[in-house]
Amino acid sequence: MSPPPDALLLAVPLAPLTAMLAGIAGRRRARLVAWWPVAGTALSVAALLWLGLAQPVAALGLRLGGAWFDAGALRLTLGLRLDALSWTVALLVAAVALAVNVFAAAFMREQSERAGFHAAMSGFAAAMLTLVLADSLVLLFAAWEWVGAASWLLIALRREPAAPAAAAKAFVMTRCGDLALLAGWLLLALLAGSTALDAVLGLAARGAPVDRWLPLPLLLIAVGALTKSAQLPFSAWLPDAMVAQAPVSALLHSATMVAAGAWLLLRLFPLYEAQPLVLALIFAVGLSGALLAALVACVQRDLKRVLAWSTISHLGQTLAALGAAVPFAAVFHLCTHAVFKSALFLAAGSVEHAAGSHRLDRLGELRRRLPLLAGLFAVSALALAEVPPLAGFYSGESVFAAVLQNRTAFAPLLPVLAFVSTFYIARAYYATFERWPGARGASSLEPPRAGELLPVLGLAVAAIVLGAWLAHSLPAVLGLSEPEPSDLGWRITRLAAVVAGICAAVFRVRAVGPAPARIGAAAAAAVVPVRGVERALDRVATGVPALVHHGARATQTIEAALDRAASLLARHALRLAALAHALDQGLDRLGRAATARGARAGVRVDAIERRGFAAGADRLATATARWARRAQRAQTGPLYAYTAALFVWLLGGVVLLWLIGAAAA
Amino acid sequence: MSTALLQWLAFALFAAIAIAGALGMATTMSMFRSGVFLMASFVGVAGLFVLLLADLLAWLQVMMYVGGMLVMILFMVLFSHDPGGAMMSEMPGLRGPERFFSLGLRTPLHEGGGSDHGGHAMPQMDMSMTTPLRRFAVVLAALAFVALAALLLLRPAWRQLDAMPAADSAHRVGELLMGKYMAAFEGAGLLILLGIFGSVYLARPSAHPGSTARERLQAAAADAPVDVAEAGDPRELQR
Amino acid sequence: MSAVPLTAYLLVGAALFAIGIYAVLAQRSAVMVLMGIELLLNATGLNAVAFWRHTAAHDYSGQIFTILIVTIGAVEMAIGLGLMLLLFRRRRTVQLDAWQALRG
């Protein structure tokens, strides 16, 4: 007697929502408060598994919901949809959320404000599941905004001076991307006549009149997705968001929220398939972002920031796979990345708890005292570094094959990327857990709790087995085509790059410790102007008056030079006359007359120079100043002066338009 | 009397009310009267709406604007030094419509009008009702009227239909609002909500650096006698 | 059948608009300026309804447009009064002369 599938589907987002409400209502019962989100997400996982076991996942096609209201030609809908793709990603999100919530229950045990934190985590899980399961653009956008608000709340709950600014930065930056997303999906809905996903995805088949308009909304939606996924140049918010607690970083900023951008593009992929230009743009942004972010990760001194830039890099790889028109590789990499990245973040949180800091130069030599944690971190790091047979190897192989198949010219960049990724993660591991010169290590070590280690263990085990299992079963489940496997030569190259990266990192850290590596310095410097737009604008703002000042000085110099040139000319004219006089010995009168004429000409030129150039330039300058002062008097100050000017302009404009219209008619 | 004559009479009456009300609002020395005149002008326009067979709009106009003008009058009384206009109307040199619409403001009770308010008048600011742009504004308004009238009278012919609106026009308007213009309706609702949020947020009591009056009041409530000239509360001064 | 022609209503609207311009420019108090703006909006509404009656009386979209004008005017008034409250808290007055920071 199984519950009806509709109820199960509704339970998936509603269970964490109920957990959030229960957490808020029961916030004074300190012992229960951490377990509501665990219960909520566990129920979601159970519901999804039940739905998946009742029938083969590939044949899933559950729809719930319908029309909300009709506004003229536009129909707004609300609904949930469960098909193979959304089932896979929803299960991933719910499972990672479950692990992170178990971790958070132990991690946050002695912090105040935990009731709000746990409630916000449940709320976030509900929002993310709604986003994945949404069948309507309205619901998707509402869930998208809700996810952004939950992210703001979770970052701002940290009692640290940098937290409110970081939270506001994350929210405002993603909000700006959301404006592009809003414009994009509104356009799509208007084109399709409805916000239901079926209608929107059907636009791809409509043909000529719609095709002309499609690239614009798809581009806008892509901009929104790129902002949410913190791709360069919109990546400034993610490293600063690392000020939040470790569970938040693990859930939001590695596995789920930043994956929402990739998810949106995956959902709308049938529309993107037919737009090669937009796909090329996504590919370019993804791959270049991946490379740059990986290089910047090499210069970070903070363990969580290394992981943040690594997230940007891996999401860039996911988007590059998408841009290479192989969505299978994108989904695969999304799944494995969620698992090993959240394991790494949770382990980093444990390290912070145990050693008191996550700055690389304050860590070191932790392996002896925290062997289990070191082992789990190492396993997850190897998964990130695409070492076989761990998860990252299979999904990295899939991404590489996708790029090799469709964008072959860029394929050689991927082994380079593998080298850099391995370098930064090996450096992070080694600097945290092994001995290097000058490593002070942590003075006092608090042993990590069982509640913290268990989820990390679970995720690390998943990172080991997930790759092979998904490579085997995912193509059949999703019904998407796999890329052609690359040949042995490429595989050996990539493996060699990985090994080289590990060796390089180990040698470097053993030699000089976790100092920022030079290979990343140029990239970090390149990213700074991309991130520091405000600083650039500042410089422009102070630079313009300076430029004007320089221009004025230059004008003065030019005027002085003209002065000197004119006087030089006069002097030379004088000299010429004297020369004529000296040379002319026969014709005295002619000579004297010529001399006299020359002298007079010289005097006249000098006078012209004095009256013309010098005085003229002076008069020009004073006249300009006078007119500028007169023009300045128009700025009288109070509001009614400007309103009057506005009305005069309006009236004049209206009359002018009418005259033009009457003349044209 | 024929209906055409009735229509013209009604039009003349309401148009006169509307224009006279607007003129009164713009020129009177009393802010309170100003609000009431604007109310009257809106009622005149509502009458014109009835003549144009848009009864729903006429009712809406009356209900919304009468309420709105009451709120305006309330704010004027709160914000201005002389809402009744007694002090202003004593100023010499009132001519024309200003004098006409300000009749009756000056009463024996307020003969020595300035002393109550002199304590906290802004010494460096001109206390008149109008800006220095007044003459320019008259000219511009006259020009605007002439330009608009010219545009009207020299226009290309509009296609005028003499269809009569249906008897249940309100019903039809409602149907349209809930159907074809649903998105605009929801959008306007959202806008009103945002406006309410915005104005409540703007008007919230907060620790402005400039709200020294508030701090003084709070300090004054804690300490003993308050110097009348220092107290920020205008109500205290009008005792 | 409307005995009063369209032009008459439009002239009344134009007169109200002109008086509104005068009020916006000639009044010193910000509250009075807001009332002038309401008058401008009202004149526009009158124009809209007059046009609706004389050119498209079968299609009620004209009335809906006027309803929206009135609504937006009310919202604008609310926010304007909120802003004036803030201004009053700073300088104890709403006379427009008190703010001359744009001078120069």
Side-chain angles (χ1 to χ4, degrees):
Chain A
M1 254 247 296
S2 70
D6 284 357
L8 281 176
L9 181 57
L10 262 183
V12 173
L14 282 184
L17 185 63
T18 319
M20 173 179 92
L21 293 171
I24 295 178
R27 61 185 174 277
R28 299 202 189 276
R29 307 180 105 236
R31 223 170 297 161
L32 274 186
V33 96
W35 296 102
W36 288 116
V38 175
T41 42
L43 273 175
S44 298
V45 172
L48 280 168
L49 281 175
W50 203 322
L51 282 168
L53 290 175
Q55 58 171 115
V57 178
L60 267 181
L62 201 56
R63 306 285 167 79
L64 205 61
W68 184 17
F69 65 82
D70 283 330
L74 180 63
R75 154 170 291 204
L76 276 80
T77 61
L78 281 178
L80 295 177
R81 163 201 280 232
L82 191 69
D83 53 13
L85 184 63
S86 58
W87 183 86
T88 315
V89 178
L91 186 59
L92 175 79
V93 167
V96 171
L98 179 60
V100 170
N101 278 320
V102 171
F103 180 91
F107 187 80
M108 302 281 294
R109 212 168 31 204
E110 66 274 333
Q111 307 220 14
S112 59
E113 309 291 336
R114 2 187 327 254
F117 180 86
H118 289 299
M121 290 287 266
S122 311
F124 172 81
M128 192 67 208
L129 285 169
T130 314
L131 199 155
V132 171
L133 292 171
D135 190 24
S136 143
L137 288 176
V138 177
L139 191 58
L140 194 138
F141 186 70
W144 186 281
E145 296 292 326
W146 185 4
V147 161
S151 159
W152 174 82
L153 189 59
L154 283 168
I155 302 177
L157 275 175
R158 183 93 195 241
R159 287 265 179 273
E160 234 183 67
K169 188 172 183 180
F171 189 63
V172 171
M173 279 190 79
T174 47
R175 202 75 186 83
C176 296
D178 292 348
L179 283 176
L181 177 61
L182 178 67
W185 79 254
L186 276 176
L187 277 174
L188 269 187
L190 282 174
L191 280 174
S194 155
T195 59
L197 263 184
D198 281 334
V200 171
L201 291 176
L203 276 175
R206 282 253 207 111
V210 167
D211 270 350
R212 218 164 23 107
W213 293 101
L214 266 184
L216 178 62
L218 290 179
L219 191 64
L220 288 169
I221 291 180
V223 168
L226 290 174
T227 315
K228 194 70 145 192
S229 293
Q231 291 306 297
L232 289 156
F234 310 115
S235 60
W237 62 271
L238 192 56
D240 285 344
M242 292 297 120
V243 77
Q245 315 270 20
V248 175
S249 304
L251 187 56
L252 271 72
H253 303 130
S254 66
T256 47
M257 185 176 109
V258 293
W263 164 255
L264 180 63
L265 295 178
L266 273 173
R267 234 326 172 220
L268 294 176
F269 193 71
L271 291 175
Y272 279 94
E273 258 183 321
Q275 306 290 334
L277 270 176
V278 183
L279 276 184
L281 184 70
I282 296 176
F283 177 79
V285 172
L287 191 59
S288 56
L291 264 174
L292 271 175
L295 287 173
V296 175
C298 298
V299 300
Q300 296 301 319
R301 298 167 192 268
D302 180 327
L303 182 59
K304 282 181 82 176
R305 281 195 174 226
V306 172
L307 295 176
W309 283 104
S310 163
T311 307
I312 299 177
S313 173
H314 278 273
L315 277 172
Q317 289 178 37
T318 312
L319 288 175
L322 202 75
V326 182
F328 170 78
V331 178
F332 197 0
H333 197 65
L334 200 68
C335 296
T336 57
H337 171 259
V339 168
F340 59 64
K341 190 48 67 63
S342 48
L344 282 171
F345 265 112
L346 291 181
S350 260
V351 165
E352 186 203 356
H353 223 192
S357 160
H358 28 71
R359 291 185 45 151
L360 287 178
D361 50 0
R362 301 231 181 101
L363 297 171
E365 289 198 81
L366 290 179
R367 179 162 60 91
R368 238 166 298 248
R369 293 186 270 180
L370 304 170
L372 187 54
L373 193 57
L376 294 174
F377 192 98
V379 167
S380 315
L382 287 175
L384 191 154
E386 300 181 8
V387 167
L390 300 175
F393 171 68
Y394 289 97
S395 67
E397 192 52 49
S398 192
V399 172
F400 179 74
V403 174
L404 188 63
Q405 178 181 327
N406 288 338
R407 308 235 182 233
T408 323
F410 295 96
L413 285 175
L414 282 176
V416 175
L417 181 59
F419 172 77
V420 182
S421 308
T422 316
F423 182 87
Y424 66 66
I425 199 65
R427 166 176 171 259
Y429 168 78
Y430 209 83
T432 311
F433 290 107
E434 303 289 345
R435 176 204 287 266
W436 41 271
R440 279 178 279 157
S443 43
S444 65
L445 267 194
E446 213 184 285
R449 308 173 186 150
E452 290 179 10
L453 284 179
L454 207 59
V456 184
L457 179 65
L459 286 170
V461 167
I464 297 177
V465 302
L466 202 64
W469 185 50
L470 280 182
H472 183 69
S473 55
L474 205 55
V477 163
L478 286 181
L480 293 168
S481 56
E482 277 189 271
E484 295 164 15
S486 59
D487 60 0
L488 195 58
W490 280 114
R491 291 198 195 191
I492 294 183
T493 316
R494 293 183 58 239
L495 208 53
V498 166
V499 171
I502 297 183
C503 297
V506 169
F507 284 145
R508 186 185 165 84
V509 178
R510 281 174 82 103
V512 298
R518 252 173 292 135
I519 58 171
V527 163
V528 164
V530 167
R531 272 190 307 166
V533 170
E534 331 74 81
R535 260 177 272 150
L537 282 177
D538 263 346
R539 248 177 269 142
V540 168
T542 50
V544 167
L547 207 67
V548 169
H549 183 70
H550 284 304
R553 278 240 226 103
T555 326
Q556 275 182 356
T557 328
I558 292 175
E559 198 253 317
L562 283 173
D563 266 353
R564 260 177 279 136
S567 59
L568 204 70
L569 198 66
R571 263 182 279 134
H572 276 294
L574 275 172
R575 258 187 241 142
L576 254 172
L579 201 65
H581 178 74
L583 282 178
D584 195 316
Q585 305 204 349
L587 301 155
D588 274 348
R589 196 148 38 112
L590 237 90
R592 250 182 276 129
T595 314
R597 218 175 284 142
R600 260 178 278 139
V603 167
R604 234 177 280 139
V605 169
D606 187 46
I608 291 174
E609 181 272 319
R610 238 183 302 122
R611 250 179 289 135
F613 285 141
D618 274 346
R619 245 178 271 144
L620 185 66
T622 43
T624 317
R626 208 181 328 127
W627 281 107
R629 250 175 279 137
R630 272 193 214 157
Q632 204 183 35
R633 259 183 251 147
Q635 306 277 333
T636 46
L639 186 62
Y640 41 81
Y642 302 101
T643 323
L646 179 70
F647 275 122
V648 169
W649 278 108
L650 273 177
L651 203 60
V654 163
V655 171
L656 198 67
L657 273 176
W658 180 69
L659 282 175
I660 292 177
Chain B
M1 285 202 260
S2 69
T3 49
L5 185 59
L6 269 178
Q7 282 192 17
W8 269 108
L9 273 179
F11 171 77
L13 175 67
F14 286 124
I17 294 178
I19 296 184
L23 208 60
M25 172 226 125
T27 55
T28 185
M29 284 291 125
S30 159
M31 300 186 91
F32 178 75
R33 281 195 188 185
S34 189
V36 175
F37 274 130
L38 193 59
M39 237 194 268
S41 172
F42 286 153
V43 169
V45 172
L48 286 177
F49 281 170
V50 171
L51 261 182
L52 286 169
L53 301 178
D55 338 355
L56 175 67
L57 284 180
W59 273 116
L60 268 179
Q61 170 99 343
V62 169
M63 285 197 294
M64 287 204 59
Y65 279 121
V66 165
M69 283 308 111
L70 284 174
V71 170
M72 281 284 208
I73 292 179
L74 186 71
F75 271 89
M76 276 194 284
V77 169
L78 285 174
F79 284 159
S80 68
H81 294 288
D82 182 25
M87 196 169 73
M88 293 293 183
S89 64
E90 284 168 17
M91 293 188 170
L94 286 184
R95 275 187 288 290
E98 288 172 0
R99 192 184 157 88
F100 173 65
F101 286 112
S102 310
L103 285 176
L105 281 179
R106 187 176 161 178
T107 68
L109 219 64
H110 287 273
E111 209 90 56
S115 59
D116 276 356
H117 311 274
H120 62 277
M122 304 272 157
Q124 61 271 46
M125 270 198 340
D126 197 346
M127 286 302 279
S128 78
M129 278 277 282
T130 55
T131 66
L133 281 186
R134 188 166 141 266
R135 290 215 190 103
F136 174 74
V138 172
V139 168
L140 188 64
L143 260 180
F145 180 66
V146 165
L148 285 171
L151 282 175
L152 278 178
L153 298 171
L154 302 174
R155 55 152 174 70
W158 287 307
R159 232 177 356 111
Q160 294 201 26
L161 306 171
D162 253 333
M164 292 284 283
D168 59 342
S169 66
H171 184 90
R172 303 269 183 97
V173 169
E175 274 179 357
L176 265 184
L177 205 55
M178 290 293 149
K180 184 169 162 201
Y181 293 106
M182 177 56 131
F185 179 62
E186 295 288 340
L190 191 65
L191 189 70
I192 295 178
L193 183 66
L194 292 175
I196 294 178
F197 278 156
S199 45
V200 167
Y201 179 78
L202 283 176
R204 77 199 184 287
S206 66
H208 279 299
S211 61
T212 47
R214 184 181 203 83
E215 287 151 23
R216 267 194 236 131
L217 274 178
Q218 287 171 343
D223 315 323
V226 156
D227 192 6
V228 168
E230 290 299 312
D233 190 350
R235 286 191 296 276
E236 281 182 26
L237 291 165
Q238 277 160 17
R239 242 174 258 135
Chain C
M1 216 58 49
S2 178
V4 182
L6 176 60
T7 323
Y9 288 105
L10 298 180
L11 278 175
V12 173
L16 288 176
F17 195 81
I19 299 179
I21 293 183
Y22 171 75
V24 167
L25 291 180
Q27 290 291 346
R28 255 213 169 98
S29 166
V31 186
M32 301 293 291
V33 170
L34 256 192
M35 300 220 294
I37 294 177
E38 290 295 313
L39 193 54
L40 291 175
L41 280 175
N42 205 34
T44 318
L46 176 62
N47 266 28
V49 176
F51 269 115
W52 165 77
R53 167 74 178 88
H54 285 96
T55 60
H58 53 281
D59 176 12
Y60 293 91
S61 309
Q63 291 206 19
I64 292 192
F65 189 58
T66 315
I67 292 177
L68 287 177
I69 293 180
V70 169
T71 308
I72 309 280
V75 176
E76 160 250 325
M77 199 175 94
I79 300 191
L81 286 174
L83 284 172
M84 261 187 272
L85 196 65
L86 282 179
L87 293 176
F88 186 74
R89 280 187 193 154
R90 287 227 174 237
R91 303 279 175 92
R92 305 289 309 172
T93 177
V94 283
Q95 307 277 51
L96 290 176
D97 292 342
W99 288 277
Q100 307 229 356
L102 280 177
R103 190 191 187 91

